Coordinates of all heavy atoms in Angstrom, one line a residue:
C1 N 8.4 1.6 26.4 CA 7.5 1.3 25.3 C 7.9 0.0 24.7 O 9.1 -0.2 24.3 CB 7.6 2.5 24.3 SG 6.7 2.2 22.8
P2 N 7.0 -0.9 24.5 CA 7.4 -2.2 23.9 C 7.8 -2.1 22.4 O 7.3 -1.3 21.7 CB 6.1 -3.0 23.9 CG 5.1 -2.3 24.8 CD 5.6 -0.9 24.9
T3 N 8.9 -2.8 22.1 CA 9.4 -2.7 20.7 C 9.0 -4.0 20.0 O 9.3 -5.1 20.4 CB 10.9 -2.6 20.8 OG1 11.3 -1.4 21.5 CG2 11.5 -2.5 19.4
W4 N 8.5 -3.8 18.8 CA 8.2 -4.9 17.9 C 9.1 -4.7 16.6 O 9.2 -3.6 16.1 CB 6.7 -4.8 17.4 CG 5.8 -5.3 18.5 CD1 5.4 -4.7 19.6 CD2 5.1 -6.6 18.5 NE1 4.5 -5.4 20.3 CE2 4.4 -6.6 19.7 CE3 5.1 -7.7 17.6 CZ2 3.6 -7.7 20.0 CZ3 4.3 -8.8 18.0 CH2 3.6 -8.8 19.2
I5 N 9.8 -5.8 16.2 CA 10.6 -5.7 15.1 C 9.7 -6.0 13.8 O 9.0 -6.9 13.8 CB 11.7 -6.8 15.1 CG1 12.6 -6.6 16.3 CG2 12.5 -6.9 13.8 CD1 13.6 -7.7 16.5
Q6 N 9.9 -5.1 12.8 CA 9.2 -5.3 11.6 C 10.1 -6.0 10.6 O 11.2 -5.6 10.4 CB 8.7 -4.0 11.0 CG 7.7 -3.3 11.8 CD 7.2 -2.1 11.1 OE1 6.9 -2.1 10.0 NE2 7.0 -1.0 11.9
T7 N 9.7 -7.1 10.0 CA 10.5 -7.9 9.2 C 9.8 -8.3 7.9 O 8.7 -8.9 8.0 CB 11.0 -9.2 9.9 OG1 11.6 -8.9 11.1 CG2 11.9 -10.0 9.0
A8 N 10.4 -7.9 6.8 CA 9.8 -8.3 5.5 C 10.5 -9.6 5.0 O 11.7 -9.7 5.0 CB 10.0 -7.2 4.4
V9 N 9.7 -10.6 4.7 CA 10.2 -11.9 4.3 C 9.8 -12.0 2.8 O 8.6 -12.0 2.5 CB 9.7 -13.0 5.1 CG1 10.3 -14.3 4.7 CG2 9.9 -12.8 6.6
I10 N 10.8 -12.1 1.9 CA 10.5 -12.1 0.5 C 11.1 -13.3 -0.2 O 12.1 -13.9 0.3 CB 10.9 -10.8 -0.2 CG1 12.5 -10.6 -0.1 CG2 10.2 -9.6 0.3 CD1 13.1 -9.5 -0.9
S11 N 10.6 -13.6 -1.3 CA 11.2 -14.6 -2.2 C 11.8 -13.8 -3.4 O 11.2 -13.0 -4.0 CB 10.1 -15.6 -2.7 OG 10.7 -16.5 -3.5
H12 N 13.1 -14.1 -3.6 CA 13.8 -13.4 -4.7 C 14.1 -14.4 -5.8 O 14.8 -15.4 -5.5 CB 15.0 -12.7 -4.2 CG 15.8 -12.0 -5.2 ND1 16.8 -12.6 -5.9 CD2 15.7 -10.8 -5.7 CE1 17.3 -11.7 -6.8 NE2 16.6 -10.6 -6.7
H13 N 13.7 -14.2 -7.0 CA 14.0 -15.1 -8.1 C 15.0 -14.5 -9.1 O 14.7 -13.5 -9.7 CB 12.7 -15.5 -8.8 CG 13.0 -16.4 -10.0 ND1 13.4 -17.7 -9.9 CD2 12.9 -16.1 -11.3 CE1 13.6 -18.2 -11.1 NE2 13.3 -17.3 -12.0
N14 N 16.1 -15.1 -9.2 CA 17.1 -14.8 -10.2 C 16.9 -15.7 -11.3 O 17.0 -16.9 -11.1 CB 18.5 -14.9 -9.6 CG 19.6 -14.5 -10.5 OD1 19.4 -14.5 -11.7 ND2 20.8 -14.1 -10.0
P15 N 16.7 -15.3 -12.5 CA 16.5 -16.2 -13.6 C 17.5 -17.3 -13.8 O 17.2 -18.3 -14.3 CB 16.4 -15.3 -14.9 CG 16.0 -13.9 -14.3 CD 16.6 -13.9 -12.9
Q16 N 18.7 -17.1 -13.3 CA 19.8 -18.1 -13.5 C 19.7 -19.2 -12.4 O 20.3 -20.2 -12.5 CB 21.2 -17.5 -13.4 CG 21.6 -16.7 -14.6 CD 21.0 -15.3 -14.6 OE1 20.7 -14.7 -13.6 NE2 21.0 -14.7 -15.8
D17 N 18.9 -18.9 -11.3 CA 18.8 -19.8 -10.2 C 17.6 -20.8 -10.5 O 16.7 -20.5 -11.2 CB 18.5 -19.1 -8.9 CG 19.6 -18.3 -8.4 OD1 20.8 -18.5 -8.8 OD2 19.4 -17.4 -7.6
I18 N 17.8 -22.0 -10.0 CA 16.7 -23.0 -10.1 C 15.6 -22.7 -9.2 O 14.4 -22.8 -9.6 CB 17.3 -24.4 -9.8 CG1 18.4 -24.8 -10.9 CG2 16.2 -25.5 -9.8 CD1 19.1 -26.0 -10.6
Q19 N 15.8 -22.4 -7.9 CA 14.8 -22.1 -7.0 C 14.9 -20.7 -6.4 O 16.0 -20.2 -6.3 CB 14.8 -23.1 -5.8 CG 14.5 -24.5 -6.3 CD 14.4 -25.4 -5.0 OE1 15.0 -25.2 -4.0 NE2 13.6 -26.5 -5.2
P20 N 13.8 -20.1 -6.1 CA 13.9 -18.7 -5.4 C 14.6 -18.8 -4.1 O 14.6 -19.8 -3.4 CB 12.4 -18.3 -5.3 CG 11.6 -19.3 -6.1 CD 12.4 -20.5 -6.2
L21 N 15.3 -17.7 -3.8 CA 15.9 -17.5 -2.5 C 14.9 -16.8 -1.6 O 14.4 -15.8 -1.9 CB 17.2 -16.7 -2.6 CG 17.9 -16.2 -1.4 CD1 18.5 -17.4 -0.6 CD2 18.9 -15.2 -1.7
I22 N 14.7 -17.3 -0.4 CA 13.9 -16.6 0.6 C 14.8 -15.9 1.6 O 15.7 -16.5 2.2 CB 13.0 -17.6 1.3 CG1 12.0 -18.3 0.3 CG2 12.2 -16.9 2.4 CD1 11.2 -19.4 0.9
T23 N 14.5 -14.6 1.8 CA 15.3 -13.8 2.7 C 14.4 -13.1 3.7 O 13.3 -12.7 3.3 CB 16.2 -12.8 1.8 OG1 17.1 -12.1 2.7 CG2 15.4 -11.8 1.1
P24 N 14.8 -12.9 4.9 CA 16.0 -13.4 5.5 C 16.0 -14.9 5.7 O 14.9 -15.4 5.9 CB 16.1 -12.6 6.8 CG 14.7 -12.3 7.2 CD 14.0 -12.2 5.9
G25 N 17.2 -15.5 5.7 CA 17.2 -16.9 6.0 C 16.8 -17.1 7.5 O 17.2 -16.4 8.4
L26 N 16.0 -18.1 7.7 CA 15.4 -18.2 9.1 C 16.4 -18.5 10.2 O 16.4 -17.9 11.2 CB 14.3 -19.3 9.0 CG 13.5 -19.6 10.3 CD1 12.8 -18.3 10.8 CD2 12.4 -20.6 10.0
K27 N 17.3 -19.4 9.9 CA 18.4 -19.7 10.9 C 19.2 -18.5 11.2 O 19.5 -18.2 12.4 CB 19.3 -20.8 10.4 CG 20.3 -21.3 11.4 CD 21.1 -22.4 10.8 CE 22.2 -22.8 11.8 NZ 23.1 -23.9 11.3
D28 N 19.6 -17.8 10.2 CA 20.4 -16.6 10.4 C 19.6 -15.5 11.1 O 20.2 -14.8 12.0 CB 21.0 -16.0 9.1 CG 22.0 -16.9 8.4 OD1 22.7 -17.7 9.1 OD2 22.1 -16.9 7.2
Y29 N 18.4 -15.4 10.8 CA 17.5 -14.4 11.4 C 17.4 -14.6 12.9 O 17.5 -13.7 13.7 CB 16.1 -14.4 10.7 CG 15.2 -13.4 11.3 CD1 15.3 -12.0 11.0 CD2 14.1 -13.8 12.1 CE1 14.4 -11.1 11.5 CE2 13.2 -12.8 12.6 CZ 13.4 -11.5 12.3 OH 12.5 -10.6 12.8
L30 N 17.2 -15.9 13.3 CA 17.1 -16.3 14.7 C 18.4 -15.9 15.4 O 18.3 -15.5 16.5 CB 16.8 -17.8 14.8 CG 15.3 -18.2 14.6 CD1 15.2 -19.7 14.5 CD2 14.4 -17.6 15.7
N31 N 19.5 -16.2 14.8 CA 20.8 -15.9 15.4 C 20.9 -14.4 15.7 O 21.4 -14.0 16.7 CB 22.0 -16.3 14.5 CG 22.1 -17.8 14.5 OD1 21.7 -18.5 15.5 ND2 22.7 -18.4 13.5
V32 N 20.5 -13.5 14.8 CA 20.6 -12.1 14.9 C 19.7 -11.6 16.0 O 20.1 -10.8 16.9 CB 20.3 -11.4 13.6 CG1 20.1 -9.9 13.8 CG2 21.4 -11.7 12.6
I33 N 18.4 -12.0 16.0 CA 17.5 -11.4 17.0 C 17.7 -12.0 18.4 O 17.2 -11.4 19.4 CB 16.0 -11.6 16.5 CG1 15.6 -13.0 16.4 CG2 15.7 -10.8 15.3 CD1 14.1 -13.2 16.1
E34 N 18.3 -13.2 18.5 CA 18.6 -13.7 19.8 C 19.4 -12.8 20.7 O 19.1 -12.7 21.9 CB 19.3 -15.1 19.7 CG 19.5 -15.8 21.0 CD 18.1 -16.2 21.7 OE1 17.1 -16.4 21.0 OE2 18.1 -16.2 22.9
A35 N 20.3 -12.0 20.1 CA 21.1 -11.1 20.9 C 20.3 -9.9 21.5 O 20.7 -9.3 22.4 CB 22.2 -10.5 19.9
I36 N 19.1 -9.7 20.9 CA 18.3 -8.6 21.4 C 16.9 -9.1 22.0 O 16.0 -8.3 22.2 CB 18.0 -7.5 20.4 CG1 17.4 -8.1 19.1 CG2 19.3 -6.8 20.0 CD1 16.9 -7.1 18.2
R37 N 16.8 -10.3 22.2 CA 15.6 -11.0 22.6 C 15.0 -10.2 23.8 O 13.8 -10.0 23.8 CB 15.8 -12.4 23.0 CG 14.6 -13.1 23.6 CD 14.9 -14.4 24.2 NE 15.0 -15.5 23.2 CZ 14.0 -16.2 22.8 NH1 12.8 -16.0 23.3 NH2 14.1 -17.1 21.9
H38 N 15.7 -9.8 24.8 CA 15.2 -9.2 26.0 C 14.7 -7.8 25.8 O 14.1 -7.2 26.6 CB 16.3 -9.2 27.1 CG 17.5 -8.4 26.8 ND1 18.5 -8.9 25.9 CD2 17.9 -7.2 27.2 CE1 19.4 -8.0 25.8 NE2 19.1 -6.9 26.5
Q39 N 15.0 -7.2 24.6 CA 14.7 -5.8 24.3 C 13.4 -5.7 23.4 O 12.9 -4.6 23.2 CB 15.8 -5.1 23.6 CG 17.1 -5.0 24.4 CD 18.2 -4.5 23.6 OE1 18.1 -4.1 22.4 NE2 19.4 -4.3 24.2
I40 N 12.9 -6.9 23.0 CA 11.8 -6.8 22.0 C 10.5 -7.5 22.6 O 10.6 -8.4 23.4 CB 12.1 -7.4 20.7 CG1 12.4 -8.9 20.8 CG2 13.2 -6.7 20.0 CD1 12.5 -9.6 19.4
E41 N 9.4 -6.9 22.2 CA 8.1 -7.5 22.6 C 7.6 -8.6 21.7 O 7.0 -9.6 22.1 CB 7.0 -6.4 22.7 CG 5.7 -6.8 23.0 CD 5.5 -7.2 24.5 OE1 6.3 -6.7 25.3 OE2 4.6 -7.9 24.8
G42 N 8.0 -8.4 20.4 CA 7.5 -9.4 19.4 C 8.0 -9.0 18.0 O 8.8 -8.1 17.8
I43 N 7.5 -9.8 17.0 CA 8.0 -9.6 15.6 C 6.7 -9.5 14.7 O 5.8 -10.3 14.8 CB 8.8 -10.8 15.2 CG1 10.0 -11.0 16.1 CG2 9.2 -10.7 13.8 CD1 10.7 -12.3 16.1
F44 N 6.7 -8.5 13.9 CA 5.8 -8.4 12.8 C 6.4 -9.0 11.6 O 7.5 -8.5 11.1 CB 5.4 -6.9 12.5 CG 4.6 -6.2 13.6 CD1 5.0 -5.1 14.1 CD2 3.4 -6.8 14.0 CE1 4.3 -4.4 15.1 CE2 2.6 -6.1 15.0 CZ 3.1 -5.0 15.5
L45 N 5.8 -10.0 11.0 CA 6.3 -10.5 9.7 C 5.4 -10.1 8.6 O 4.2 -10.1 8.6 CB 6.2 -12.1 9.7 CG 7.2 -12.8 10.6 CD1 7.0 -14.3 10.5 CD2 8.6 -12.5 10.1
Y46 N 6.0 -9.6 7.5 CA 5.3 -9.1 6.3 C 5.8 -9.8 5.1 O 7.0 -10.2 5.0 CB 5.5 -7.6 6.1 CG 5.1 -6.7 7.2 CD1 5.9 -6.3 8.2 CD2 3.7 -6.3 7.3 CE1 5.5 -5.5 9.3 CE2 3.3 -5.5 8.3 CZ 4.2 -5.1 9.3 OH 3.7 -4.3 10.3
A47 N 4.9 -10.0 4.1 CA 5.3 -10.6 2.8 C 5.0 -9.6 1.8 O 4.3 -8.6 2.0 CB 4.5 -11.9 2.6
V48 N 5.5 -9.7 0.6 CA 5.2 -8.8 -0.5 C 3.7 -9.0 -0.9 O 3.3 -10.1 -1.1 CB 6.1 -9.2 -1.8 CG1 5.7 -8.3 -3.0 CG2 7.5 -8.9 -1.4
S49 N 3.0 -7.9 -0.9 CA 1.5 -8.1 -1.1 C 1.1 -7.6 -2.5 O 0.0 -7.9 -2.9 CB 0.8 -7.3 0.0 OG 1.1 -6.0 0.0
R50 N 2.0 -6.8 -3.1 CA 1.6 -6.3 -4.5 C 2.9 -6.1 -5.2 O 4.0 -5.9 -4.6 CB 0.8 -5.0 -4.4 CG 1.5 -3.9 -3.6 CD 0.5 -2.7 -3.4 NE 1.1 -1.8 -2.5 CZ 1.1 -1.8 -1.2 NH1 0.6 -2.8 -0.6 NH2 1.7 -0.9 -0.5
P51 N 2.9 -6.0 -6.5 CA 4.1 -5.7 -7.3 C 4.7 -4.4 -6.9 O 4.1 -3.4 -6.5 CB 3.5 -5.6 -8.8 CG 2.2 -6.3 -8.8 CD 1.7 -6.1 -7.4
T52 N 6.0 -4.4 -7.0 CA 6.8 -3.2 -6.7 C 7.3 -2.5 -7.9 O 7.5 -3.1 -9.0 CB 8.0 -3.5 -5.7 OG1 8.7 -2.3 -5.5 CG2 8.9 -4.5 -6.4
C53 N 7.6 -1.2 -7.9 CA 8.1 -0.4 -9.0 C 9.6 -0.4 -9.0 O 10.2 0.3 -9.8 CB 7.5 1.0 -9.0 SG 5.7 1.0 -9.2
Q54 N 10.3 -1.0 -8.0 CA 11.7 -1.0 -8.0 C 12.3 -1.7 -9.3 O 11.6 -2.5 -9.9 CB 12.2 -1.8 -6.8 CG 11.8 -1.1 -5.5 CD 12.2 -2.0 -4.3 OE1 12.5 -3.1 -4.4 NE2 12.1 -1.3 -3.1
A55 N 13.5 -1.3 -9.6 CA 14.2 -1.8 -10.8 C 14.2 -3.3 -10.9 O 13.9 -3.9 -11.9 CB 15.6 -1.3 -10.9
A56 N 14.4 -4.0 -9.8 CA 14.5 -5.5 -9.8 C 13.1 -6.1 -9.3 O 13.1 -7.2 -8.9 CB 15.6 -6.0 -9.0
G57 N 12.1 -5.3 -9.3 CA 10.8 -5.7 -8.8 C 10.2 -6.9 -9.4 O 9.6 -7.7 -8.7
S58 N 10.5 -7.2 -10.6 CA 10.0 -8.4 -11.3 C 10.6 -9.7 -10.7 O 10.1 -10.8 -10.8 CB 10.2 -8.4 -12.8 OG 11.6 -8.4 -13.1
N59 N 11.7 -9.5 -10.0 CA 12.3 -10.7 -9.3 C 11.9 -10.9 -7.9 O 12.2 -11.9 -7.3 CB 13.9 -10.5 -9.3 CG 14.5 -10.6 -10.7 OD1 13.9 -11.2 -11.6 ND2 15.6 -10.0 -10.8
L60 N 11.1 -10.0 -7.3 CA 10.6 -10.1 -6.0 C 9.2 -10.8 -6.1 O 8.3 -10.3 -6.7 CB 10.4 -8.7 -5.3 CG 11.7 -8.0 -5.1 CD1 11.4 -6.6 -4.5 CD2 12.8 -8.7 -4.4
L61 N 9.1 -11.9 -5.4 CA 7.9 -12.7 -5.4 C 7.2 -12.8 -4.1 O 7.9 -12.8 -3.1 CB 8.2 -14.1 -5.9 CG 9.0 -14.2 -7.2 CD1 9.5 -15.7 -7.4 CD2 8.2 -13.7 -8.4
P62 N 5.9 -12.9 -4.1 CA 5.2 -13.1 -2.8 C 5.7 -14.4 -2.2 O 5.9 -15.4 -2.9 CB 3.7 -13.2 -3.1 CG 3.6 -12.6 -4.5 CD 5.0 -12.8 -5.2
L63 N 5.8 -14.5 -0.9 CA 6.2 -15.7 -0.2 C 5.0 -16.6 -0.1 O 3.8 -16.1 0.0 CB 6.6 -15.3 1.3 CG 7.4 -16.3 2.0 CD1 8.8 -16.6 1.3 CD2 7.6 -15.9 3.4
S64 N 5.1 -17.9 -0.2 CA 4.0 -18.8 -0.2 C 3.5 -18.8 1.2 O 4.2 -18.5 2.2 CB 4.4 -20.2 -0.6 OG 5.2 -20.8 0.4
K65 N 2.2 -19.1 1.4 CA 1.5 -19.2 2.7 C 2.2 -20.2 3.5 O 2.5 -20.1 4.7 CB 0.1 -19.6 2.5 CG -0.7 -19.8 3.8 CD -1.3 -18.6 4.4 CE -2.3 -18.9 5.5 NZ -1.7 -18.8 6.8
V66 N 2.7 -21.3 2.9 CA 3.4 -22.4 3.6 C 4.7 -21.9 4.2 O 5.0 -22.2 5.4 CB 3.6 -23.6 2.7 CG1 4.5 -24.6 3.3 CG2 2.3 -24.3 2.2
A67 N 5.4 -21.2 3.4 CA 6.7 -20.6 3.9 C 6.5 -19.6 5.0 O 7.2 -19.6 6.0 CB 7.5 -20.0 2.8
M68 N 5.5 -18.7 4.9 CA 5.2 -17.7 5.9 C 4.8 -18.4 7.2 O 5.2 -18.1 8.3 CB 4.2 -16.8 5.4 CG 3.9 -15.6 6.4 SD 5.3 -14.6 6.6 CE 4.7 -13.0 6.0
D69 N 3.9 -19.5 7.1 CA 3.5 -20.2 8.2 C 4.7 -20.9 8.9 O 4.7 -20.9 10.2 CB 2.5 -21.3 7.9 CG 1.1 -20.7 7.5 OD1 0.9 -19.5 7.8 OD2 0.3 -21.4 6.9
E70 N 5.7 -21.3 8.2 CA 6.9 -22.0 8.7 C 7.7 -20.9 9.5 O 8.1 -21.2 10.7 CB 7.8 -22.6 7.7 CG 9.0 -23.2 8.2 CD 10.0 -23.7 7.2 OE1 9.6 -23.7 6.0 OE2 11.1 -24.1 7.6
Y71 N 7.9 -19.8 9.0 CA 8.6 -18.7 9.7 C 7.9 -18.4 11.0 O 8.5 -18.3 12.1 CB 8.6 -17.4 8.9 CG 9.9 -17.2 8.1 CD1 10.2 -18.0 7.0 CD2 10.8 -16.3 8.4 CE1 11.4 -17.9 6.3 CE2 12.0 -16.1 7.7 CZ 12.3 -16.9 6.6 OH 13.4 -16.7 5.9
E72 N 6.6 -18.2 10.9 CA 5.8 -17.9 12.1 C 5.9 -19.0 13.2 O 6.1 -18.7 14.3 CB 4.3 -17.6 11.7 CG 3.4 -17.2 12.8 CD 2.0 -16.9 12.4 OE1 1.6 -17.3 11.3 OE2 1.3 -16.2 13.2
S73 N 5.7 -20.2 12.7 CA 5.7 -21.3 13.7 C 7.1 -21.5 14.4 O 7.1 -21.7 15.6 CB 5.4 -22.6 12.9 OG 5.5 -23.7 13.7
V74 N 8.2 -21.4 13.6 CA 9.5 -21.5 14.2 C 9.8 -20.4 15.2 O 10.3 -20.6 16.3 CB 10.6 -21.5 13.1 CG1 12.0 -21.4 13.7 CG2 10.5 -22.8 12.3
L75 N 9.4 -19.1 14.9 CA 9.6 -18.0 15.8 C 8.7 -18.2 17.0 O 9.2 -17.9 18.1 CB 9.3 -16.7 15.1 CG 10.3 -16.3 14.0 CD1 9.7 -15.1 13.1 CD2 11.6 -16.0 14.6
I76 N 7.5 -18.6 16.9 CA 6.7 -18.8 18.1 C 7.3 -20.0 18.9 O 7.3 -19.8 20.2 CB 5.2 -19.2 17.6 CG1 4.5 -17.9 17.1 CG2 4.4 -19.7 18.8 CD1 3.2 -18.2 16.4
S77 N 7.7 -21.0 18.3 CA 8.3 -22.1 19.0 C 9.6 -21.7 19.8 O 9.9 -22.2 20.8 CB 8.7 -23.3 18.1 OG 7.6 -23.8 17.6
A78 N 10.3 -20.6 19.3 CA 11.5 -20.1 19.9 C 11.1 -19.1 21.0 O 12.0 -18.6 21.7 CB 12.4 -19.4 18.9
G79 N 9.8 -18.9 21.2 CA 9.4 -18.1 22.3 C 9.0 -16.6 22.0 O 8.8 -15.8 22.9
Y80 N 8.9 -16.3 20.7 CA 8.6 -14.9 20.3 C 7.1 -14.8 20.1 O 6.4 -15.7 19.7 CB 9.4 -14.6 19.0 CG 10.9 -14.5 19.2 CD1 11.7 -15.6 18.9 CD2 11.5 -13.4 19.8 CE1 13.0 -15.5 19.0 CE2 12.8 -13.3 20.0 CZ 13.6 -14.4 19.6 OH 15.0 -14.4 19.8
H81 N 6.6 -13.6 20.4 CA 5.3 -13.2 20.0 C 5.3 -12.8 18.5 O 6.2 -11.9 18.2 CB 4.7 -12.0 20.8 CG 4.7 -12.3 22.3 ND1 3.7 -13.1 22.8 CD2 5.5 -11.9 23.3 CE1 3.9 -13.2 24.1 NE2 5.0 -12.5 24.4
V82 N 4.5 -13.3 17.7 CA 4.6 -13.1 16.2 C 3.2 -12.7 15.7 O 2.2 -13.3 16.0 CB 5.1 -14.3 15.5 CG1 5.2 -14.0 14.0 CG2 6.5 -14.7 16.0
R83 N 3.2 -11.7 14.8 CA 2.0 -11.3 14.0 C 2.4 -11.3 12.6 O 3.3 -10.6 12.2 CB 1.5 -10.0 14.4 CG 0.9 -10.0 15.9 CD 0.3 -8.7 16.2 NE -0.1 -8.7 17.6 CZ -0.1 -7.6 18.4 NH1 0.1 -6.4 17.8 NH2 -0.4 -7.7 19.6
A84 N 1.8 -12.2 11.8 CA 2.2 -12.3 10.4 C 1.1 -11.7 9.5 O -0.1 -11.9 9.7 CB 2.4 -13.8 10.0
Y85 N 1.6 -11.0 8.5 CA 0.7 -10.4 7.5 C 1.1 -10.8 6.1 O 2.2 -10.6 5.7 CB 0.7 -8.8 7.7 CG 0.4 -8.4 9.1 CD1 1.4 -8.2 10.0 CD2 -0.9 -8.2 9.5 CE1 1.1 -7.8 11.3 CE2 -1.2 -7.8 10.8 CZ -0.2 -7.6 11.7 OH -0.5 -7.2 13.0
M86 N 0.1 -11.3 5.4 CA 0.4 -11.7 4.0 C -0.1 -10.6 3.0 O -1.1 -10.1 3.1 CB -0.3 -13.0 3.6 CG 0.3 -14.2 4.4 SD 1.7 -15.0 3.8 CE 1.5 -15.2 2.1

């Protein structure tokens, strides 16, 4: 059975930070999945689509379309099948 990795890419804003942190970091993510490349069919990328009720939910922000497109483009360029959902 083909395996697709589900990955949530979020922007996290800490009020003390100047810019939001996007997680997972793309370079680190590529390093992790490279080890299992031969075991996966592709990657589903998801962004935050609505507010969350989690305690720190107000710090979780939707990823910009530009940032999501960058993730998708880099992963495709690395040879992965990608489906992105905003």
